Amino acid sequence: MKPRTKRERLVVELSSKLPAITEAQIRWGKKHCFPHNAYRCKDEMWCSECGKMWVDVTGQKEGYIKCPYCGERLEVKVSRKTKDNAVSYLTVVTTSGDFQVLRHFYTARYARKERDTHYFIDEVCQQWITSDNKEIVIAKAMNMGCRGWIHTTDMSLKQSGNIYYPHSYDIDGYVYPKVNVLPILRRNGLRTSFHGVTPAVLIRGLLGENKYAEMLIKTRQYSMLEFYMYRGGLSHPWAVNICNRNGYIIKDGSMYDDYLRLLDYFHLDTHNAHYVCPKDLKKAHDELLKRKQKIEARERMERERIERMKKEKELKRNIAVFWKKIQPFLGLQIKDEGIVICPLESVTQYYQEWKTMHHCVYNCAYYARKESLVLSARKNGKRLETIEVNLNTFKIVQSRGVCNEDSKYHKQIIRIMENNMAEIIRRAAS
Ligand SMILES: [Zn+2]
């Protein structure tokens, strides 16, 4: 993208004047952007920092150890891996003109057992943010898919995100501790740490995009700040004020939010410091949660009991309806061409018919339908089809075999039924 506006042209010019990454920054990045591990396989250990291998007979499988070659403090990991490639971002926070600038350096470490370790560091993206919260991005080109940088290209002006994925260049890098911020951000509470929040996200928040960001950072409620910036809202902002008045620091933002919702559930006063500033948050939270789970279990059981009773009552009513309906047809037997057709005379028989025929005659509670008479057609005791007759029109509504398919006797059964419909009409009238 070519610079079009005055501001874009200014950013491109200022960007070209930014200093190259310093040796100190590179050193810091190597130390802080990657895990430092000693990989143990049997008695052999190797260092992810220098690649050197040594024999260690202490059998230490966890904890920390010092590399005998480079002196780095390493975390011991039991692993058979012989190479360790790691990718990370180093973010340098600085200012230029009236812009807050975030410079993101792609950093990669390629470590191999008994080989020299190599690093690759390349500046891939700069976010230029103004005090009125406008952002201009300069970055390298990317392959399709996220963060596949094309390192051979030069950085150029980029569109920052789209409506589906706004702020797509927000990189959560390790922030180099020498931080320069615009006076307005300093006034709003930003010093050197971003408190676990992606730098660009916190900067936008402090420039007014998030109502409580400034209050939370100034009152050192960092855990709540992190939770709030990712959740995008505070359910009980007044509770934080009460904490601040009582010098109470929230240690776990997400658990604290959960705890406040539990207080609401039990109608406990979230304006009362006694509840809002618990000495042991985890204990207070777990106790309320346990109580809530007990109540919910009771409620669930009660709901299930009522549901069961309703079903029982309905079944009883259905049986009564069915019993009245079936009376005239008890003992009815239509015999022709070796096929015997009898009505289903009890709910149990509906159930048995459903079990062998795998259709919906029982599940759909046909027995409860006043206008429907259901019969079973059999040959030599084997069920062929289930027939439904409408008792208002005396027409065959359906006749279905196993799994709702027609059997090979389908036409025959229909014919026999139609020939004998007069008997059903006579019985229905009696
Ligand atoms: Zn080493």
Side-chain angles (χ1 to χ4, degrees):
M1 210 165 86
K2 277 211 167 109
R4 279 193 214 99
T5 63
K6 204 172 146 196
R7 194 178 260 177
E8 284 173 354
R9 275 193 291 272
L10 178 61
V11 163
V12 169
E13 199 207 318
L14 288 173
S15 171
S16 68
K17 288 179 184 157
L18 286 176
I21 188 167
T22 65
E23 277 306 314
Q25 287 165 341
I26 292 174
R27 239 185 352 261
W28 188 91
K30 284 180 180 175
K31 184 151 182 71
H32 293 90
C33 295
F34 304 105
H36 308 286
N37 296 329
Y39 294 109
R40 166 186 284 282
C41 180
K42 292 179 184 155
D43 280 349
E44 288 182 4
M45 284 225 211
W46 70 280
C47 167
S48 69
E49 300 307 296
C50 62
K52 296 275 196 305
M53 189 270 282
W54 67 96
V55 173
D56 178 280
V57 287
T58 59
Q60 183 184 353
K61 288 202 169 91
E62 51 186 24
Y64 292 85
I65 193 172
K66 209 169 180 182
C67 172
Y69 293 94
C70 67
E72 184 65 50
R73 184 172 181 259
L74 307 168
E75 188 176 354
V76 178
K77 302 252 176 193
V78 176
S79 167
R80 282 157 62 171
K81 70 161 90 179
T82 55
K83 62 178 181 184
D84 180 18
N85 296 342
V87 167
S88 185
Y89 287 92
L90 166 67
T91 297
V92 174
V93 180
T94 185
T95 55
S96 175
D98 294 330
F99 295 93
Q100 181 64 55
V101 188
L102 300 174
R103 304 179 71 184
H104 302 294
F105 294 85
Y106 174 96
T107 52
R109 185 186 67 190
Y110 309 101
R112 269 166 192 258
K113 188 176 182 179
E114 295 186 280
R115 299 267 180 85
D116 287 343
T117 299
H118 294 284
Y119 290 89
F120 174 72
I121 298 184
D122 186 29
E123 184 167 22
V124 288
C125 174
Q126 294 171 353
Q127 291 173 282
W128 293 69
I129 304 169
T130 57
S131 56
D132 57 347
N133 205 3
K134 298 273 188 308
E135 185 191 46
I136 291 172
V137 171
I138 291 184
K140 293 208 162 176
M142 254 190 234
N143 283 315
M144 294 297 285
C146 212
R147 304 287 147 85
W149 302 102
I150 305 174
H151 293 288
T152 48
T153 60
D154 286 329
M155 287 204 287
S156 65
L157 215 56
K158 292 279 183 289
Q159 181 100 36
S160 170
N162 53 44
I163 52 165
Y164 304 110
Y165 188 20
H167 306 301
S168 54
Y169 287 96
D170 282 358
I171 293 171
D172 192 15
Y174 289 86
V175 177
Y176 184 64
K178 273 195 186 150
V179 165
N180 286 326
V181 296
L182 289 181
I184 182 175
L185 286 168
R186 208 180 157 73
R187 190 200 73 193
N188 290 358
L190 187 62
R191 294 290 181 269
T192 53
S193 174
F194 288 80
H195 309 290
V197 184
T198 302
V201 173
L202 185 59
I203 286 172
R204 281 198 299 272
L206 289 173
L207 288 176
E209 203 168 285
N210 299 85
K211 197 172 158 189
Y212 299 112
E214 189 183 333
M215 179 271 280
L216 289 170
I217 201 168
K218 282 186 172 167
T219 55
R220 296 169 184 267
Q221 298 287 6
Y222 301 135
S223 173
M224 212 57 207
L225 174 74
E226 187 184 355
F227 171 77
Y228 166 68
M229 293 308 291
Y230 285 112
R231 181 65 68 87
L234 279 188
S235 55
H236 303 67
W238 61 89
V240 182
N241 289 335
I242 295 169
C243 291
N244 289 335
R245 274 204 298 279
N246 287 275
Y248 181 86
I249 293 292
I250 298 157
K251 292 218 179 74
D252 183 329
S254 141
M255 187 189 281
Y256 188 72
D257 182 74
D258 217 27
Y259 170 71
L260 291 175
R261 286 164 199 270
L262 284 166
L263 290 180
D264 279 346
Y265 179 85
F266 288 105
H267 306 293
L268 296 172
D269 188 4
T270 53
H271 291 83
N272 183 335
H274 171 71
Y275 293 116
V276 170
C277 309
K279 274 205 185 72
D280 186 338
L281 171 63
K282 188 174 181 335
K283 200 172 144 208
H285 167 271
D286 289 358
E287 264 169 24
L288 286 184
L289 185 65
K290 225 186 201 164
R291 257 170 72 192
K292 183 178 173 216
Q293 282 166 342
K294 250 188 205 159
I295 290 172
E296 281 178 342
R298 249 201 328 266
E299 284 172 353
R300 198 167 49 241
M301 265 165 64
E302 181 62 14
R303 265 200 311 276
E304 282 166 4
R305 194 183 66 83
I306 290 170
E307 195 59 30
R308 250 194 334 270
M309 268 172 57
K310 236 164 80 187
K311 271 197 181 144
E312 265 169 36
K313 226 165 136 185
E314 200 182 304
L315 185 66
K316 264 188 194 155
R317 201 173 51 236
N318 286 342
I319 290 175
V321 170
F322 173 75
W323 194 239
K324 205 169 152 206
K325 173 182 79 178
I326 201 68
Q327 284 306 313
F329 304 102
L330 287 177
L332 171 68
Q333 206 174 47
I334 299 165
K335 273 190 191 164
D336 205 352
E337 303 169 40
I339 292 175
V340 184
I341 301 174
C342 297
L344 297 177
E345 293 185 352
S346 68
V347 176
T348 315
Q349 284 185 13
Y350 272 79
Y351 176 75
Q352 287 163 340
E353 186 84 0
W354 166 70
K355 271 291 234 192
T356 34
M357 303 296 272
H358 307 289
H359 50 43
C360 58
V361 70
Y362 178 78
N363 273 2
C364 300
Y366 275 92
Y367 51 85
R369 299 188 189 177
K370 260 188 192 148
E371 73 291 348
S372 103
L373 175 69
V374 177
L375 306 99
S376 171
R378 297 170 200 193
K379 189 167 184 151
N380 301 328
K382 189 171 173 284
R383 292 170 212 264
L384 302 175
E385 290 199 3
T386 309
I387 307 146
E388 185 194 357
V389 174
N390 185 301
L391 290 176
N392 297 326
T393 61
F394 296 101
K395 289 266 187 296
I396 298 161
V397 180
Q398 52 180 339
S399 179
R400 292 176 190 274
V402 176
C403 300
N404 288 330
E405 305 262 344
D406 287 352
S407 73
K408 63 177 176 180
Y409 300 98
H410 183 69
K411 282 185 181 154
Q412 212 178 333
I413 291 167
I414 299 284
R415 195 172 60 241
I416 297 168
M417 276 305 297
E418 276 168 355
N419 290 343
N420 290 278
M421 197 57 84
E423 173 64 9
I424 291 174
I425 296 174
R426 192 188 64 73
R427 283 189 177 232
S430 68

